[in-house]
Amino acid sequence: MTAIYKMEQNPPKKGSGKKVVLHPRIIPWDTVSTDRLIEEASSRSTYTSGDLKGAVRLLSDMLKEKLRDGYNVYLDGIGYFSVSLKSRPVGDKKELRSESVHFKNVNFRCCAGLKHELKTMPVERYKEPKVTDFSQEEKESRLLRYLERHAYITTLAYQGLNGCTQYLARKELKQFVADGILVEDGTRRMCIYVKRPEPAELPDSLVVDSNMGR
């Protein structure tokens, strides 16, 4: 599969007065979960899904343990993990106690081998879908049919499904959330929308324990 990119504007610098500069940005097809990676890895090897899940869980636990103990961790073919710290600003180290130093973030640095492997990745420019004139009812119907076959929909997928601009796709998806049809999930960079689950049905009649036997 070929990676898709889109040209986007660099954030303007205040008072710079420079012309708009564009940069390429990957448009992800999807976010691949651990379970999906394990399923594909199992189909390519003699390891069972259970074996791989156990190995991933063990590596995850050991990674957390070693970082907590103050080690840097290197995963072969992936990269380096390390912990950064934070504290209030001081002019002298004697002004600060260890109790005032806290965890800040986990840093990741890609290894050279992985960068080398990705240098030859094929990329293709994203083609804006042709604008259609579907009615709002048709768009909702197409959306619900899509969600019958997929766990969620992204803004990019909605654009292709209903032939609209990115701005309109975001606006309409937000409206579907407001209407109670969709639920927004994911992250700021990778927002996904899932169908709102149907409310659980209550029984026609409820029997109060205290009334039984009277």
Side-chain angles (χ1 to χ4, degrees), residues 36-108:
R36 180 173 163 187
L37 281 175
I38 287 174
E39 182 181 345
E40 291 189 19
S42 179
S43 67
R44 298 186 190 184
S45 67
T46 57
Y47 299 108
T48 67
S49 295
D51 293 335
L52 293 169
K53 284 182 180 179
V56 169
R57 189 174 299 112
L58 179 59
L59 279 174
S60 174
D61 289 343
M62 292 190 69
L63 174 64
K64 287 180 283 189
E65 178 185 312
K66 295 304 180 184
L67 291 176
R68 184 186 293 270
D69 289 343
Y71 289 90
N72 290 344
V73 177
Y74 171 69
L75 294 183
D76 189 29
I78 298 177
Y80 300 83
F81 294 84
S82 62
V83 166
S84 60
L85 303 174
K86 63 181 178 180
S87 71
R88 60 183 176 82
V90 295
D92 188 331
K93 60 184 179 181
K94 295 180 181 179
E95 299 178 41
L96 198 66
R97 295 182 178 181
S98 295
E99 293 81 5
S100 301
V101 179
H102 305 286
F103 166 84
K104 181 181 180 182
N105 204 356
V106 174
N107 304 317
F108 172 71

Side-chain angles (χ1 to χ4, degrees), residues 28 30-32 151-155 174 177 182-195:
D30 203 343
T31 298
V32 181
Y152 60 85
I153 191 168
T154 63
T155 303
K174 294 287 186 184
V177 172
L182 300 178
V183 175
E184 187 175 338
D185 202 351
T187 64
R188 184 175 63 83
R189 285 184 170 273
M190 182 60 183
C191 187
I192 63 174
Y193 298 86
V194 299
K195 186 178 178 181

Side-chain angles (χ1 to χ4, degrees), residues 138-199:
E138 287 176 299
K139 289 181 179 181
E140 181 177 334
S141 177
R142 291 168 67 85
L143 169 67
L144 294 177
R145 288 200 300 271
Y146 180 93
L147 290 174
E148 289 175 359
R149 306 186 304 273
H150 302 82
Y152 60 85
I153 191 168
T154 63
T155 303
L156 178 62
Y158 186 89
Q159 282 184 257
L161 180 69
N162 284 325
C164 58
T165 64
Q166 185 179 67
Y167 169 78
L168 193 56
R170 287 176 176 170
K171 181 180 178 181
E172 292 180 356
L173 286 167
K174 294 287 186 184
Q175 187 59 51
F176 284 128
V177 172
D179 293 341
I181 297 171
L182 300 178
V183 175
E184 187 175 338
D185 202 351
T187 64
R188 184 175 63 83
R189 285 184 170 273
M190 182 60 183
C191 187
I192 63 174
Y193 298 86
V194 299
K195 186 178 178 181
R196 181 179 293 277
E198 297 291 338

